[in-house]
Amino acid sequence: MAQVRVAAAQFECVVGDVVANVRQIAELAQEARAAGSAVMVCPELALTGYEPGLIGQDRTLWTEAEDARLDPLRGAGITVVVNGAAAGPGGRPQITSTVYAPDGSVAAVYAKEHLYENEREVFEPGSGGGRFWADGVGYSLATCFDNHFPEVSGRNAAQGCRVHLASSLYGTGGGREERRTVHPAIAKATGMYVVLANHVGPAGPWTGCGGSAVWAPDGTVVAEADESGPRLLVADLEVETGD
């Protein structure tokens, strides 16, 4: 067993401004590093704000892993999981999580598999994957609606992942109940810790309800943010390590 400290970034994105959002994320990553965190995960479409229509119209909002605008994230000195839009194989964008290792290399790229309603008009779905290892710990990736499909987290747990990282947008209203029920269910079904990074404040057609949180493998809450505004949530996890 080993102890690993993880962080979830909860903040309000600047609509359509990749540079400004990278600046916010990099500042939070430096804060997470100073707090001793090994990994930090960000909300869904953190690089652009949750703006599917705008992303579909403006290709300059798409970012590839080597995009120079993301250099501050490569230099954060910890593992950063950041979600944005990138070109898919069919020519449309995908909702993509890019994982930067502490040395700035790309540890993984994962495209959201299960698109939610309005997203299907703009984005292409991904086709699997979504895991990486850091210091012997396996991490599972999923983006928002992916977490409603047990096979996504289940396959990563079967591959030895011990921490599930959920980049999401849950809004006020019904999103509060989904946030509260979906993630502890994943933890109990897979035996993984679950770390949720959620939006707070205006996010496209919704208002992010905050509540970024960490659940233990038995579904109990380890740490939880409220809806009051931006913050960095940090938690210590006791996890199994492997090759």
Side-chain angles (χ1 to χ4, degrees):
M1 300 290 287
Q3 186 177 85
V4 60
R5 183 167 290 177
V6 299
Q10 176 174 297
F11 61 97
E12 182 179 332
C13 298
V14 181
V15 174
D17 193 332
V18 172
V19 172
N21 289 317
V22 166
R23 187 181 305 116
Q24 287 197 84
I25 296 165
E27 289 173 355
L28 288 166
Q30 291 299 327
E31 182 181 342
R33 181 184 181 187
S37 301
V39 176
M40 186 184 83
V41 60
C42 297
E44 182 175 24
L45 292 174
L47 291 174
T48 59
Y50 187 85
E51 300 290 339
L54 185 60
I55 292 166
Q57 296 167 7
D58 186 355
R59 197 181 177 103
T60 67
L61 298 180
W62 305 9
T63 52
E64 303 305 320
E66 301 303 326
D67 193 307
R69 292 174 291 179
L70 307 187
D71 283 349
L73 306 183
R74 282 189 281 273
I78 65 170
T79 299
V80 177
V81 181
V82 62
N83 192 272
R92 293 197 294 164
Q94 294 180 311
I95 299 174
T96 303
S97 284
T98 302
V99 182
Y100 293 108
D103 64 1
S105 63
V106 177
V109 177
Y110 168 73
K112 183 177 184 178
E113 298 169 65
H114 299 281
L115 300 175
Y116 185 73
E117 295 180 352
N118 58 313
E119 295 169 357
R120 298 168 192 155
E121 301 172 8
V122 176
F123 298 103
E124 296 178 21
S127 57
R131 68 190 74 90
F132 67 96
W133 273 257
D135 297 324
V137 178
Y139 292 87
S140 165
L141 299 172
T143 306
C144 205
F145 199 40
D146 281 336
N147 293 292
H148 296 242
F149 294 82
E151 63 270 20
V152 175
S153 53
R155 69 164 182 248
N156 291 330
Q159 292 290 326
C161 293
R162 294 293 176 260
V163 182
H164 182 71
L165 305 175
S167 298
S168 300
L169 165 56
Y170 288 98
T172 54
R176 289 190 177 101
E177 181 65 11
E178 290 183 356
R179 186 209 69 84
R180 188 184 67 81
T181 58
V182 168
H183 303 89
I186 293 172
K188 288 188 282 189
T190 64
M192 293 190 289
Y193 284 92
V194 175
V195 183
L196 166 68
N198 193 29
H199 286 259
V200 67
W206 291 288
T207 299
C209 69
S212 296
V214 180
W215 289 268
D218 64 0
T220 58
V221 175
V222 175
E224 188 171 31
D226 59 23
E227 299 186 19
S228 62
R231 66 164 296 179
L232 184 74
L233 185 72
V234 176
D236 291 323
L237 317 180
E238 291 285 344
V239 297
E240 295 179 15
T241 59
D243 296 331

